[in-house]
Amino acid sequence: GENVEQHPSTLSVQEGDSAVIKCTYSDSASNYFPWYKQELGKRPQLIIDIRSNVGEKKDQRIAVTLNKTAKHFSLHITETQPEDSAVYFCAASKKNDKIIFGKGTRLHILP
Amino acid sequence: GAVVSQHPSRVICKSGTSVKIECRSLDFQATTMFWYRQFPKQSLMLMATSNEGSKATYEQGVEKDKFLINHASLTLSTLTVTSAHPEDSSFYICSATDGANVLTFGAGSRLTVL
């Protein structure tokens, strides 16, 4: 089955700098890659997603890139702000199939 | 947007009792719902996939007789933790898909077994 690896497990960046979280997946048939943000004690919230027919997608300060050949995808957050502090999960799935999550990255934005 | 309601948000029970958690899609029909478990500071681990009108598909290592899943309608799935023990204490989160891969999560249920 699908296996999703996520790095780093913890990331601290200075406010205003960029943060990058990287994930790899194992099943070449996976074609949907969402990213979720989870604040302490709350449910995960979808922040951006990408499908395998697209190499890059951007939404304001958040962007996701996908390299299907290498089975890599990454989350980029620019101009980080204190409210970006949270745990971020990458995930992968095939159409209408279960979504498998990475282990998460705890992002700390330093003042 | 899609909304998933999950109840109860918190439950405390005695060891040996059973607890039922409900997951409802409020504004869409969810042919498939997923149940995840999340231990403190860990990722979401998929427990089972619930399809309306059929038996749930459990992930390896998840006891189907202990975690009973029922998906009786297109808007409701329930998870019953039977004969709960302290090691079952966790955050249980349901999610539902509208069939377009977009996964919407419930608010989660924090189970504490004394």
Side-chain angles (χ1 to χ4, degrees), chain A residues 31-32 36 38 41-46 49 51 89 93-104 106, chain B residues 4 32 34 36 38 41-44 46 49 59 91 93 97 99-108 110:
Chain A
N31 58 4
Y32 176 63
Y36 288 84
Q38 187 178 28
K42 296 187 177 180
R43 77 186 86 187
Q45 298 278 6
L46 178 69
D49 57 12
R51 297 185 187 274
F89 293 98
S93 82
K94 292 174 279 193
K95 184 173 173 58
N96 293 328
D97 199 359
K98 56 192 176 185
I99 291 182
I100 302 301
F101 287 84
K103 292 188 183 300
R106 190 170 298 275
Chain B
V4 174
T32 305
F34 302 92
Y36 290 85
Q38 187 176 34
K41 298 186 178 181
Q42 294 190 23
S43 186
L44 296 99
L46 180 65
T49 301
E59 294 299 302
F91 194 50
I93 309 178
T97 176
N101 279 131
V102 178
L103 198 63
T104 302
F105 283 90
R110 187 165 300 283

Side-chain angles (χ1 to χ4, degrees), chain B residues 1-106:
Chain B
V3 177
V4 174
S5 173
Q6 185 174 344
H7 294 280
S9 58
R10 294 178 185 273
V11 57
I12 300 173
C13 69
K14 292 182 178 180
S15 185
T17 60
S18 295
V19 174
K20 180 186 282 188
I21 301 169
E22 289 189 350
C23 181
R24 294 180 185 272
S25 58
L26 296 187
D27 52 1
F28 67 99
Q29 293 187 329
T31 53
T32 305
M33 290 185 174
F34 302 92
W35 287 94
Y36 290 85
R37 180 167 53 185
Q38 187 176 34
F39 291 108
K41 298 186 178 181
Q42 294 190 23
S43 186
L44 296 99
M45 299 303 298
L46 180 65
M47 299 175 66
T49 301
S50 168
N51 292 294
E52 186 265 337
S54 63
K55 291 183 178 179
T57 302
Y58 290 82
E59 294 299 302
Q60 191 173 9
V62 179
E63 299 174 59
K64 63 179 181 181
D65 294 329
K66 180 168 184 62
F67 300 100
L68 301 179
I69 292 172
N70 183 279
H71 194 160
S73 76
L74 285 171
T75 59
L76 174 64
S77 177
T78 61
L79 167 68
T80 301
V81 183
T82 62
S83 188
H85 291 285
E87 57 266 30
D88 297 325
S89 297
S90 186
F91 194 50
Y92 292 87
I93 309 178
C94 71
S95 62
T97 176
D98 58 2
N101 279 131
V102 178
L103 198 63
T104 302
F105 283 90

